[in-house]
Amino acid sequence: TALDLAADGDEDFVVEAASLADELERDLAELELASWFTDELDHGDAIVTVTPGQGGLEAQDWCEMLFKMYLAYCARRGWKVDVGDAPAAEVIGIDRATFTVSGKNAYGMLRSEQGVHRLVRISPFDANARRHTSFSSLDVAPILEDDNNEIEVDMKYVRVDTYHSSGAGGQNVNS
């Protein structure tokens, strides 16, 4: 309605109405996105691990590219990222990367990224400019809240068996 009224002329009103309409559209998109998450852990934080797979140096380079892409994605979503481990590989890329992502719906959004990611490209490291296929895996785990609940086990349901070796090669040795 504000946009319809703004069509009549007042430039300031047009700018304000368009801004409000854009804000409403973003809020509705976020609300729709949040409705997709039905698991209780979806709204929480996540631990992400990127590991190079088949492909040698190319896979280590691909792993680093994925790591940087996910850091940029997290920054764009406004999530906080704590990098726990991302050691450089011997020649190029990284050996692995593990980082914690904190923010609204972080686990829910990232868990769909879990799996093996493949890159097919003309290698910048191959003097013959051949096509290479590289793989990196991405694992996403939720961060569980520490509820400090202790578990009690009724000892009547526990059986303890003790075994020991009877000597060399499983044979009884008499002296």
Side-chain angles (χ1 to χ4, degrees):
T1 304
L3 284 172
D4 290 340
L5 292 173
D8 290 338
D10 185 5
E11 183 67 30
D12 291 335
F13 194 55
V14 170
V15 171
E16 182 181 356
S19 173
L20 289 171
D22 288 344
E23 185 178 332
L24 180 61
E25 191 173 319
R26 279 191 306 276
D27 289 346
L28 285 173
E30 272 303 311
L31 187 60
E32 179 185 12
L33 191 61
S35 73
W36 295 349
F37 305 126
T38 56
D39 189 283
E40 65 182 66
L41 299 173
D42 285 345
H43 302 290
D45 302 339
I47 298 171
V48 180
T49 303
V50 185
T51 309
Q54 293 288 329
L57 297 176
E58 290 285 330
Q60 291 173 332
D61 190 40
W62 175 225
C63 184
E64 183 177 30
M65 285 188 270
L66 276 175
F67 174 56
K68 288 178 179 179
M69 285 190 280
Y70 282 107
L71 291 181
Y73 175 73
C74 292
R76 194 170 60 246
R77 300 249 352 133
W79 293 334
K80 180 180 177 239
V81 175
D82 292 318
V83 178
D85 190 30
E90 211 170 291
V91 180
I92 58 169
I94 58 176
D95 279 333
R96 70 188 167 280
T98 300
F99 53 100
T100 303
V101 181
S102 304
K104 183 179 178 186
N105 300 328
Y107 175 69
M109 291 292 290
L110 291 169
R111 74 180 170 136
S112 64
E113 297 293 316
Q114 184 164 305
V116 176
H117 295 255
R118 181 177 75 163
L119 171 69
V120 179
R121 68 175 178 171
I122 303 296
S123 174
F125 309 108
D126 185 342
N128 296 323
R130 292 178 289 195
R131 190 174 78 175
H132 288 253
T133 302
S134 306
F135 299 90
S136 286
S137 66
L138 187 98
D139 187 40
V140 181
I143 294 180
L144 303 175
E145 296 298 321
D146 184 17
D147 55 9
N148 291 323
N149 289 337
E150 290 192 27
I151 299 173
E152 289 187 32
V153 177
D154 188 347
M155 292 307 288
K156 72 180 181 184
Y157 297 111
V158 177
R159 184 178 92 194
V160 177
D161 293 332
T162 305
Y163 298 92
H164 62 79
S165 174
S166 59
Q171 302 293 324
N172 284 331
V173 178
N174 296 325
S175 36

